Amino acid sequence: MASINDSETKIPSLYSRKEKSLGVLCSNFLRLYNKEGVESIGLDNAANQLGVERRRIYDIVNILESVGVLTRRAKNQYTWKGFSAIPHAVEELRKQAFNENPRVSGFCSFGTVVNENDCRGPSNSNSSYTDKYTKSSGSSKSENNRKEKSLGLLTQNFIKLFISSNADLISLDTAATALLGDVHDPTAMRTKVRRLYDIANVFSSMNLLEKTRHPESGKPSFRWLGPKTKSQTLDTNKRRAFGTDITNHEDLKRKHVDSLSDWSSKDVTVAMHGNIDCVKVEYSENNTTQQQSSCNSKEFVFGPFTPAITQRVGSSGNKKLKQVQDWENLADTYRPQYCNKALGDIFGHYVEAWKSWYDEADEKKTGHRSPEEDED
DNA sequence: CGCTCCCGCCAATTC
DNA sequence: GAATTGGCGGGAGCG
């Protein structure tokens, strides 16, 4: 009898679809592996630790791999690269997008890859994650077909949409249409959108994407928060209207964010090594900031705006909030505020508070978790 | 009721 | 031939 059913005694009526989303799964996955000492990831292990089917791990892993966070080493084995690999991965994508379609800039001409064999420029970018999708070492056409539809490739093309066009907000419909090329099959469209939802969810949980609503149409759209590479303009003022436009409010309530980060390393860079072991702050004038990588592995890069703990809701100004009971409340009560000074202190507080809240909430949510969680 | 997107069937690939 | 990967879309949850 005790075969497929988990031993976890949970009331069926408490089933929540949200808890099972790819987004939270991704957060959990990251929490599990984005820390000191991790460099190898086994799919079986991951599935067990996270209590999900293997199938779901493939989804996460494929998406993460497409932005360089992971690399497939062998069957069942992946190598952890970390968030620090993202900028480079994105830069590669930008290059690809560029020589696929050098004149991008319009909203209608994305550097979408449909058939790499044709539109592959002499880009000698040699990185595993891009190679996996751009190279098809002498395989036949039918074999490529499957790859062309892979989640990984789709993810990369999706990113290209953001980084190679000057569109700030893109709806999934628009993205799907663009990524489908000339196909006008409603079924294909729906399938594509489904996949984009998957991708968007994990990226949102990584803070690479932000869900918003289009100002006028009110149509759900996404904004790329990850590194845009290059001297991508439209920085602060246009990109994130923190404090002014809080349209992603409801989205904040949905998923927990593991790392708040701004990928445009401009003025100030705060790198967090490991989990929260050491925090370094450094300043620089121009955008040629070279982030020190003394402690390679995992480091988060924060940009000009550093999240600080703050309580709005006209509270008395005291930060002694008791343990938050759930993420809804947490997201409601606290909202990141951004400032430029005293980054060290603020950030330090931020990290610690966040960590403890996270643990608290986690405990509250599930009376007990896997024996894994207390090593944080 | 339309938007989301979980779930798992089953085909393609790899071992 | 078994195991691993992962495309795909039905249909249920949710606002």
Side-chain angles (χ1 to χ4, degrees), chain A residues 8 15 27 34 64 73 80 83 98-99 115 129 192 197 227 278 285 303 306 327 336:
Chain A
E8 208 72 68
Y15 170 83
S27 293
N34 183 31
L64 292 182
R73 169 149 31 90
W80 175 260
F83 282 74
F98 180 76
N99 54 44
N115 185 351
Y129 39 82
K192 194 65 72 181
Y197 273 119
C278 50
E285 292 69 70
T306 294
W327 286 105

Side-chain angles (χ1 to χ4, degrees), chain A residues 77-344:
Chain A
Q77 286 297 311
Y78 277 79
T79 300
W80 175 260
K81 295 294 185 189
F83 282 74
S84 57
I86 294 179
H88 179 241
V90 172
E91 171 59 21
E92 292 301 326
L93 292 178
R94 205 207 89 249
K95 283 192 214 161
Q96 279 182 35
F98 180 76
N99 54 44
E100 276 155 17
N101 191 345
R103 66 195 59 214
V104 298
S105 64
F107 195 29
C108 300
S109 56
F110 296 109
T112 305
V113 181
V114 178
N115 185 351
E116 277 88 31
N117 297 6
D118 295 336
C119 43
R120 203 128 146 287
S123 71
N124 31 357
S125 51
N126 50 359
S127 34
S128 51
Y129 39 82
T130 51
D131 283 357
K132 172 176 177 179
Y133 302 112
T134 54
K135 288 225 181 91
S136 50
S137 40
S139 42
S140 69
K141 203 167 277 184
S142 56
E143 287 170 2
N144 287 347
N145 192 36
R146 197 161 201 249
K147 246 166 206 171
E148 286 174 6
K149 302 184 163 190
S150 72
L151 229 206
L153 224 201
L154 177 62
T155 301
Q156 299 191 327
N157 284 332
F158 187 37
I159 295 175
K160 288 178 186 174
L161 248 44
F162 287 100
I163 63 176
S164 69
S165 78
N166 43 23
D168 185 39
L169 293 177
I170 300 179
S171 73
L172 298 190
D173 282 328
T174 305
T177 302
L179 294 169
L180 271 175
D182 36 340
V183 183
H184 295 108
D185 176 20
T187 303
M189 180 71 177
R190 282 195 300 135
T191 295
K192 194 65 72 181
V193 171
R194 284 195 191 95
R195 297 292 81 81
L196 290 178
Y197 273 119
D198 293 340
I199 297 169
N201 282 334
V202 340
F203 278 172
S204 290
S205 78
M206 295 168 73
N207 244 22
L208 286 178
L209 273 187
E210 171 190 50
K211 186 178 184 181
T212 332
R213 241 164 238 288
H214 194 87
E216 293 99 39
S217 63
K219 197 174 169 187
S221 303
F222 288 86
R223 168 182 291 128
W224 177 250
L225 296 182
K228 288 215 168 189
T229 71
K230 216 188 168 179
S231 54
Q232 183 74 38
T233 46
L234 52 82
D235 331 33
T236 58
N237 43 358
K238 181 174 182 181
R239 277 192 37 167
R240 315 172 77 171
F242 281 120
T244 57
D245 182 356
I246 320 182
T247 36
N248 60 335
H249 184 153
E250 68 276 24
D251 195 55
L252 272 178
K253 301 203 300 191
R254 279 206 51 163
K255 27 212 126 195
H256 16 148
V257 184
D258 270 334
S259 60
L260 294 175
S261 52
D262 188 317
W263 299 90
S264 63
S265 50
K266 290 288 270 317
D267 303 312
V268 182
T269 301
V270 179
M272 179 167 71
H273 303 279
N275 252 353
I276 46 172
D277 292 327
C278 50
V279 176
K280 294 188 180 176
V281 183
E282 64 181 60
Y283 298 80
S284 77
E285 292 69 70
N286 48 11
N287 47 10
T288 50
T289 307
Q290 75 290 22
Q291 306 135 16
Q292 34 47 287
S293 49
S294 47
C295 322
N296 47 25
S297 236
K298 31 252 144 149
E299 58 181 38
F300 296 77
V301 184
F302 290 79
F305 303 110
T306 294
I309 311 166
T310 155
Q311 62 291 48
R312 31 143 295 298
V313 199
S315 77
S316 48
N318 184 354
K319 72 280 137 212
K320 188 32 179 203
L321 328 112
K322 53 218 320 215
Q323 329 303 359
V324 187
Q325 50 275 33
D326 60 5
W327 286 105
E328 271 69 19
N329 286 350
L330 179 112
D332 264 340
T333 313
Y334 301 92
R335 188 163 308 292
Q337 172 181 278
Y338 298 83
C339 60
N340 250 332
K341 26 192 80 140
L343 286 178

